[in-house]
Amino acid sequence: MRLTFLPFSQPSITEEDIAAVTAVLRSKWITTGRKCLEFENKFTARVDSLGAVAVTSATGGMHLLLKTLNINPGDEIITPSLTWVSTPNLIELTGAKPVWADVDRDNLMTSAEMVEPLITDRTRAIIPVHFAGAPADLDPLRKLAHKKNIPLIEDAAHAVGSVYRDHPVGSTGIAVFSFHPIKNFTTGEGGLITADDQELLDRLRVLRFHGLEKDAFDHKVWERRPQAQVLEPGYKYNLTDLAAALGLSQLNRLDEMNARRRTLAEFYLKQLAEIPELKPLSPPTWPHLHVWHLFVVRLIKPGLSRNEFIERLKHHNIGSGLHFLAAHTHNWYRQKETRHLDLSNTEWNSERLLSLPLFPDMTEDDLKDVIEAIKASLIGD
Ligand SMILES: Cc1ncc(COP(=O)(O)O)c(C=O)c1O
């Protein structure tokens, strides 16, 4: 058995990353400034979008986007229940109601066919999730959203570098990325919105910082003009230059980090082909580039619960994650939901899934340790 604990995720931090952040510290300008702008511009170029607004988290970014929808009580937003709770929580907090879409049983993503029957005249947005690093099937979702004139907001928290049919996620439409440390790309904490609508980008920039005029920044002294006017009440979700410097440095290695994840994922897939009790997700059937933010498996062994299996792995010094417990099963949402929900794929997965360790600095020996621990845990060792 391995002697040290293997976490399920760990950020990849190099000396270059440390030097980039240190340089910002030495510059004495550590909040939002030149680095943040440079990061937004490089990210925009990388995903080929019209523009980008960097924020403190994907949650903050989603909050800003929901604010632009002018939600009224009783409005509905369609999103999978198999997502991180941040999205349904924000939907609730803005006064709307989450309407749960089911997901494909094996790629864990929702689709136009699953979303369409849920649309009503109160639907204000559709929020699909690009799951675990694979892109959702965007073309039919976009077509549906366009036909019904409903905004489509892509939750791209797992999808930095992911590609859908030759187009980087974020290149068209509205997408929100997360740079939380467990993601495949990090700024410590952070997030970013891409959009192909200049008016929306301008409004998000205003909302990101107290609702102050977007040209309130004096580029000569690189300070905000003290006379800047509030255009509408806003929030405080600006990304610091410290975080942006880490992002800029990480962008240089994004392809390398994602390629390493892909190699590790392929090793897992090969090994797990001989372990029928653990069923990995299926890759999407549409052309794509997967960035393997997570390696999710479903435990299928009568008499052994997922939670017990996680405990056994821990006993073998192997960490694991849980992405996700279906949102509609959380206390708050369970008590609120009164309709009969057909979320059979979501519920089947929510009870069985777990995420195995996957991060660029993992070694082949670490992977072998995981496989050994899996085998031992399955037989109760
Ligand atoms: C699917 C999904 N959406 C949104 C978020 C929120 O991201 P952040 O932590 O940057 O707010 C996460 C974070 O884990 C996520 O997994």
Side-chain angles (χ1 to χ4, degrees):
M1 187 171 97
R2 63 179 284 138
L3 298 174
T4 55
F5 186 73
L6 180 71
F8 98 89
S9 175
Q10 200 176 71
S12 166
I13 303 293
T14 61
E15 287 305 318
E16 287 74 27
D17 293 337
I18 293 166
V21 177
T22 308
V24 172
L25 282 170
R26 290 193 203 288
S27 80
K28 306 268 165 58
W29 184 275
I30 59 176
T31 184
T32 310
R34 286 183 178 84
K35 286 289 169 195
C36 182
L37 190 62
E38 189 186 341
F39 177 54
E40 287 172 336
N41 290 340
K42 289 241 165 87
F43 201 95
T44 296
R46 164 75 209 209
V47 305
D48 197 20
S49 65
L50 177 67
V53 178
V55 284
T56 45
S57 66
T59 306
M62 188 63 79
H63 194 188
L64 298 184
L65 283 165
L66 294 189
K67 172 71 184 166
T68 67
L69 297 176
N70 302 320
I71 305 271
N72 289 306
D75 284 349
E76 299 172 352
I77 295 183
I78 301 173
T79 196
S81 169
L82 206 72
T83 187
W84 181 227
V85 291
S86 57
T87 304
N89 285 352
L90 286 168
I91 294 171
E92 286 277 315
L93 288 166
T94 51
K97 176 179 167 6
V99 174
W100 310 117
D102 204 6
V103 292
D104 180 273
R105 191 167 161 116
D106 288 316
N107 66 34
L108 304 193
M109 289 187 277
T110 196
S111 66
E113 298 83 70
M114 289 185 254
V115 166
E116 185 155 19
L118 305 174
I119 294 177
T120 70
D121 56 5
R122 314 273 350 220
T123 307
R124 292 289 166 268
I126 302 166
I127 309 181
V129 179
H130 300 299
F131 204 92
D137 196 6
L138 287 170
D139 284 349
L141 281 163
R142 284 186 179 140
K143 209 165 138 198
L144 174 66
H146 183 75
K147 185 174 83 180
K148 303 279 185 181
N149 199 21
I150 297 170
L152 184 77
I153 300 174
E154 297 164 41
D155 183 337
H158 299 184
V160 181
S162 184
V163 177
Y164 172 73
R165 294 186 187 280
D166 290 336
H167 299 289
V169 168
S171 56
T172 27
I174 306 167
V176 193
F177 296 87
S178 169
F179 309 143
H180 180 276
I182 73 158
K183 301 298 189 304
N184 60 320
F185 171 95
T186 190
T187 59
E189 290 277 359
L192 180 141
I193 308 164
T194 53
D196 55 5
D197 172 342
Q198 193 57 53
E199 220 173 290
L200 177 66
L201 286 165
D202 291 346
R203 182 150 182 232
L204 292 168
R205 210 166 274 283
V206 167
L207 285 171
R208 173 180 70 173
F209 195 77
H210 303 299
L212 287 163
E213 297 167 80
K214 92 167 160 54
D215 59 356
F217 219 77
D218 183 334
H219 286 264
K220 177 134 193 264
V221 289
W222 211 257
E223 296 248 15
R224 203 161 284 279
R225 274 197 300 115
Q227 300 89 344
Q229 298 290 304
V230 171
L231 301 182
E232 62 175 310
Y235 301 88
K236 180 116 194 317
Y237 288 149
N238 52 305
L239 190 75
T240 65
D241 269 16
L242 280 173
L246 180 54
L248 280 165
S249 180
Q250 292 251 313
L251 267 184
N252 294 332
R253 286 188 299 119
L254 178 60
D255 290 330
E256 192 189 311
M257 292 189 292
N258 286 344
R260 176 70 185 150
R261 286 176 175 276
R262 212 165 288 125
T263 304
L264 298 170
E266 277 159 17
F267 177 94
Y268 268 139
L269 288 170
K270 216 151 130 197
Q271 297 292 315
L272 291 173
E274 283 152 37
I275 307 178
E277 294 91 343
L278 282 192
K279 193 169 165 21
L281 301 187
S282 303
T285 50
W286 44 92
H288 70 283
L289 181 72
H290 203 311
V291 294
W292 293 103
H293 154 51
L294 297 171
F295 194 93
V296 176
V297 291
R298 286 74 54 82
L299 173 70
I300 304 160
K301 185 170 164 69
L304 177 57
S305 75
R306 181 264 318 281
N307 292 353
E308 170 62 20
F309 185 64
I310 285 177
E311 284 310 308
R312 290 185 191 176
L313 287 178
K314 207 193 291 174
H315 174 74
H316 286 271
N317 269 337
I318 302 297
S320 57
L322 212 171
H323 306 91
F324 299 98
L325 275 187
H328 75 278
T329 66
H330 282 261
N331 271 355
W332 173 270
Y333 295 102
R334 212 178 44 236
Q335 285 161 21
K336 288 202 100 174
E337 194 56 69
T338 50
R339 293 168 316 152
H340 172 71
L341 297 164
D342 180 13
L343 296 169
S344 48
N345 292 340
T346 299
E347 285 168 0
W348 188 86
N349 277 284
S350 177
E351 285 163 17
R352 292 170 178 80
L353 53 72
L354 66 146
S355 304
L356 298 180
L358 181 67
F359 52 91
D361 294 342
M362 267 178 83
T363 64
E364 315 300 314
D365 282 345
D366 290 332
L367 276 167
K368 286 181 191 149
D369 288 344
V370 178
I371 297 297
E372 264 177 38
I374 286 172
K375 288 179 177 163
S377 300
L378 283 171
I379 57 171
D381 264 6

